[in-house]
Amino acid sequence: MFALVFLSACAHVETRLPVPNQAALRKESNTQEHQAFIRYAQQLSRLDKISTKLLQANAPICEKTFQDMGVRTHTLKSYPKHLRDAAKRQLGAKKHPTILSVRDNAQLSKMDSLLDQRANPTSVRNKALQETLKTEQAEIQIRRGDKTLSVPVTSNLACDYKVSLRMSGAVNAYATGKSIIITTAMMDFAKTDEELALVVGHELAHNTMGHILKIIQNTILSGFATRTTRPFEAEADYVGLYYMARAGYNMDGVETFWRRLGVKNPKSIVRAKSHPVTPARLLSIRMTAQEINAKRTSGQALLPNALKPTQQNP
Ligand SMILES: [Zn+2]
């Protein structure tokens, strides 16, 4: 460290370097920021599309559900700090929630601002609004230009887990018990929508199966968190594939996601303390797909096989 400081203090370059002018520098910064933002916004909308499909298709077997109005709002804080200027320029993101996207509702538009705080995603689970949505069409207050309007909204039942995108160069995804987080590098790595559904399904299973709580309990009891998580990872792969199939995604060949990940991280082919090794994951997913296809052919419900028979799953 000291050697580096010493070197940098007296080091100097020996060639005449080009010095870009300020205006050109600013222009190129804007171009790069703009492209980075467009890429982020596209990933956000792809993740929303796929996770909505999974959360709605699996609502009948999710314990925690909510009425999803399909209204996505955003504020400047919804974006990573360095993309907020671009978010303001490109999508008109503000300090207060405005509509980013709407599904199945022709009466709302991106230019509308939400006045009804019950429709804000942070309070969308507001009890009164949720109760109304269950039985009838609810109305939310919006501002359009200088007018205040009441707009009817419909909803669909969905599993109640928030799905977010995190800007990171690490190919990763995780579940917290209440939410699912997918990194931007994972969005790039999951080439097809089927692969992304596999990843989101896996994290959804961690949440629905209560793995996070079980891991904490195991940690307290055994003190070996890494080894105790392995069966839960295998279970999340198994249950997650059912979630994906129930949402109508094609499972053919989706297991090769794990081959590509093994090739990218060769260590995970032979050694994985907290997770099953990637060859085992590929083969287990292939076997699960065969199990699901057999159920489909014989007209059985697509439900994971439980260890203990239950009323729902004999
Ligand atoms: Zn996992």
Side-chain angles (χ1 to χ4, degrees):
M1 193 65 194
F2 284 116
L4 273 178
V5 172
F6 174 74
L7 277 175
S8 64
C10 57
H12 55 85
V13 297
E14 294 179 13
T15 51
R16 198 181 303 237
L17 298 174
V19 182
N21 80 49
Q22 285 306 307
L25 204 55
R26 225 178 0 257
K27 194 166 171 250
E28 180 56 22
S29 296
N30 281 345
T31 304
Q32 292 185 18
E33 240 179 44
H34 171 76
Q35 289 183 11
F37 180 74
I38 296 291
R39 190 157 161 257
Y40 186 84
Q42 281 168 347
Q43 288 186 333
L44 207 56
S45 112
R46 180 181 174 220
L47 182 59
D48 187 52
K49 189 186 84 185
I50 289 162
S51 50
T52 300
K53 211 168 153 181
L54 280 161
L55 295 176
Q56 288 188 3
N58 290 291
I61 55 168
C62 263
E63 246 174 64
K64 283 175 62 189
T65 55
F66 81 114
Q67 297 294 135
D68 181 9
M69 296 189 299
V71 180
R72 302 287 177 262
T73 59
H74 65 160
T75 69
L76 281 173
K77 280 194 175 168
S78 312
Y79 301 95
K81 265 188 188 157
H82 49 281
L83 291 183
R84 285 180 195 166
D85 280 347
K88 202 170 171 179
R89 279 198 304 270
Q90 299 300 315
L91 296 177
K94 297 184 171 74
K95 275 187 183 165
H96 64 272
T98 50
I99 294 173
L100 172 67
S101 62
V102 278
R103 190 193 56 238
D104 308 333
N105 196 318
Q107 298 193 53
L108 285 169
S109 95
K110 278 189 182 181
M111 302 304 287
D112 298 335
S113 290
L114 282 181
L115 292 177
D116 194 334
Q117 283 307 301
R118 295 179 312 172
N120 179 330
T122 53
S123 57
V124 75
R125 287 143 179 88
N126 170 292
K127 271 190 187 158
L129 181 64
Q130 283 288 312
E131 282 308 311
T132 320
L133 283 169
K134 265 184 206 167
T135 51
E136 58 192 273
Q137 220 177 32
E139 290 198 331
I140 56 167
Q141 297 270 307
I142 60 153
R143 177 168 292 278
R144 181 171 296 163
D146 54 3
K147 283 186 192 141
T148 301
L149 303 170
S150 279
V151 177
V153 285
T154 50
S155 66
N156 296 301
L157 195 67
C159 301
D160 192 4
Y161 300 101
K162 191 173 174 266
V163 183
S164 354
L165 178 64
R166 178 161 298 166
M167 186 154 276
S168 163
V171 176
N172 211 347
Y174 27 95
T176 66
K178 285 185 177 167
S179 57
I180 292 166
I181 296 132
I182 311 286
T183 66
T184 46
M186 175 59 92
M187 294 295 299
D188 283 336
F189 187 79
K191 279 189 187 157
T192 60
D193 286 359
E194 286 74 19
E195 286 189 348
L196 187 58
L198 180 80
V199 174
V200 177
H202 173 98
E203 301 306 331
L204 176 62
H206 273 315
N207 285 340
T208 57
M209 305 300 289
H211 288 167
I212 313 304
L213 195 67
K214 287 174 189 165
I215 289 164
I216 293 168
Q217 284 168 347
N218 276 337
T219 312
I220 293 166
L221 292 175
S222 69
F224 292 103
T226 51
R227 289 187 196 285
T228 57
T229 55
R230 203 183 312 171
F232 296 135
E233 292 305 327
E235 185 171 56
D237 280 348
Y238 176 71
V239 175
L241 199 70
Y242 270 88
Y243 288 159
M244 178 184 166
R246 290 174 59 93
Y249 284 103
N250 183 357
M251 298 174 294
D252 294 348
V254 74
E255 69 274 16
T256 54
F257 171 87
W258 288 108
R259 183 178 293 155
R260 286 202 299 116
L261 207 61
V263 171
K264 191 176 162 67
N265 305 295
K267 224 165 95 178
S268 64
I269 303 173
V270 288
R271 204 166 65 90
K273 258 191 195 171
S274 59
H275 291 64
V277 289
T278 48
R281 296 186 88 161
L282 180 145
L283 293 172
S284 302
I285 287 180
R286 190 175 286 163
M287 287 163 74
T288 308
Q290 285 164 357
E291 178 183 301
I292 294 171
N293 284 332
K295 283 184 186 172
R296 213 174 241 156
T297 311
S298 62
Q300 285 181 67
L302 298 189
L303 296 168
N305 293 336
L307 276 180
K308 289 180 211 149
T310 61
Q311 271 184 330
Q312 205 184 25
N313 190 9

